[in-house]
Amino acid sequence: MIGAWCFIDHFGPTEQTDGMVVAAHPHTGLQTVTWLLEGRVEHRDSLGTIQHINPGQLNLMTAGRGIAHSELSETGPESLHAVQMWLALPKEQLNIEPFFEHQDALPETQLGDLTAKVFVGEFGGVAASTKVFSQLVAAELGLKGEKSAKIPLNSGFEHGILLIHGEITVNGEQITQNQLFFAPAGPAALEITAKSDARMIFLGGEPFGEQIVMWWNFIGRSHDEIVQARSEWNAGASARFSEFEDRIGGRIPAPELPNVQLRSR
Ligand code: MN
């Protein structure tokens, strides 16, 4: 984990004909943070939310005690290219009521040659109002051409940099496309040097301080919580995972559990 960040999925760029069709499925104990780089995606959920997301916008879905949602990319001239990250909820918020938030105007800042679109927390003197439950930061960073930049860090945070596009070094270490650079808490800055245009996702957070049990789309604190969530979802519509209409139809059943006790990490 990097702070409460516990999962990152970088998808695309891909032709929209191979786009994203993810039928209804549940989540518990986490927040999904969806950030689009290209294309357009429709989100629907069991709260009744219908929300399109475009590049530079944020969808935040807080599962809390339970939510179900689906995601469908829209056909268009652009490719589909995005990242979705998950945030573990602290134990105090593990079972809160689910909610959904969309942000279409997020703060941007410039630090020398570095551009930053901040979508969680504070970076470079600007802050996003995204509702999260631990100390966190997330931004899309960009460098145009062969440039260097000093990235200011909160020295109490762990940090990660996912290279979306380009070729960079971080503190002299070469990072290739799709690699995630990790920096433990401590340093006050990182030095990034790009060989050409570079796009990055910058994440950070205070060390989470709790162990979580994460399996499929569920996060809890014990094997039994996961077993319970899985069986409620597979039993069909419930108060916890209510039904909703979408343009995909159907639902994704939870897979078989492995024949072991799930352990925390
Ligand atoms: Mn999902």
Side-chain angles (χ1 to χ4, degrees):
M1 291 174 74
I2 298 171
W5 302 104
C6 58
F7 174 83
I8 183 163
D9 182 13
H10 173 206
F11 46 98
T14 183
E15 296 289 326
Q16 285 287 31
T17 46
D18 301 322
M20 185 184 199
V21 185
V22 184
H25 62 280
H27 288 285
T28 63
L30 57 85
Q31 296 181 286
T32 64
V33 177
T34 306
W35 180 255
L36 242 64
L37 300 155
E38 287 178 82
R40 186 170 151 91
V41 172
E42 181 186 275
H43 158 99
R44 296 195 184 209
D45 66 38
S46 52
L47 302 171
T49 312
I50 300 175
Q51 180 67 57
H52 290 91
I53 179 170
N54 295 298
Q57 301 179 343
L58 178 82
N59 274 359
L60 175 78
M61 185 182 77
T62 302
R65 65 179 181 81
I67 198 167
H69 78 138
S70 67
E71 292 153 297
L72 176 66
S73 62
E74 307 226 330
T75 309
E78 285 190 309
S79 298
L80 174 66
H81 192 189
V83 285
Q84 185 176 88
M85 294 142 283
W86 294 359
L87 281 169
L89 286 167
K91 59 180 183 298
E92 294 78 14
Q93 282 84 28
L94 203 57
N95 293 305
I96 58 173
E97 289 300 309
F99 65 92
F100 182 86
E101 185 179 309
H102 173 81
Q103 304 250 5
D104 58 9
L106 286 151
E108 296 186 29
T109 188
Q110 185 92 27
L111 295 176
D113 291 313
L114 184 84
T115 55
K117 294 178 192 169
V118 181
F119 53 90
V120 175
E122 185 274 334
F123 181 80
V126 297
S129 62
T130 310
K131 179 68 178 166
V132 292
F133 297 92
S134 56
Q135 293 297 313
L136 293 161
V137 64
E140 181 188 332
L141 305 182
L143 280 169
K144 279 264 175 262
E146 207 175 332
K147 295 277 168 51
S148 284
K150 197 168 204 154
I151 314 288
L153 303 180
N154 178 330
S155 61
F157 281 12
E158 304 162 331
H159 290 91
I161 296 172
L162 175 71
L163 182 60
I164 297 291
H165 175 79
E167 204 178 316
I168 61 169
T169 61
V170 183
N171 289 346
E173 185 180 331
Q174 184 153 346
I175 306 298
T176 56
Q177 202 165 304
N178 296 322
Q179 275 190 320
L180 178 69
F181 176 89
F182 173 68
L190 287 174
E191 179 84 18
I192 296 185
T193 301
K195 286 194 176 162
S196 55
D197 289 1
R199 249 177 139 175
M200 298 147 273
I201 298 293
F202 172 73
L203 301 175
E206 61 180 349
F208 193 60
E210 287 183 67
Q211 293 209 305
I212 63 169
V213 178
M214 181 168 156
W215 180 80
W216 196 48
N217 293 310
F218 304 126
I219 290 180
R221 293 295 180 273
S222 69
H223 175 89
D224 292 346
E225 285 173 23
I226 302 296
V227 169
Q228 178 67 25
R230 177 187 178 278
S231 93
E232 282 184 51
W233 171 251
N234 280 359
S238 61
R240 188 178 192 183
F241 303 120
S242 50
E243 273 188 331
F244 63 98
E245 296 230 331
D246 64 19
R247 297 189 285 147
I248 303 172
R251 65 208 298 280
I252 302 174
E256 287 297 319
L257 276 159
N259 187 26
V260 292
Q261 274 299 106
L262 299 174
R263 283 165 36 177
S264 58
R265 61 173 175 91

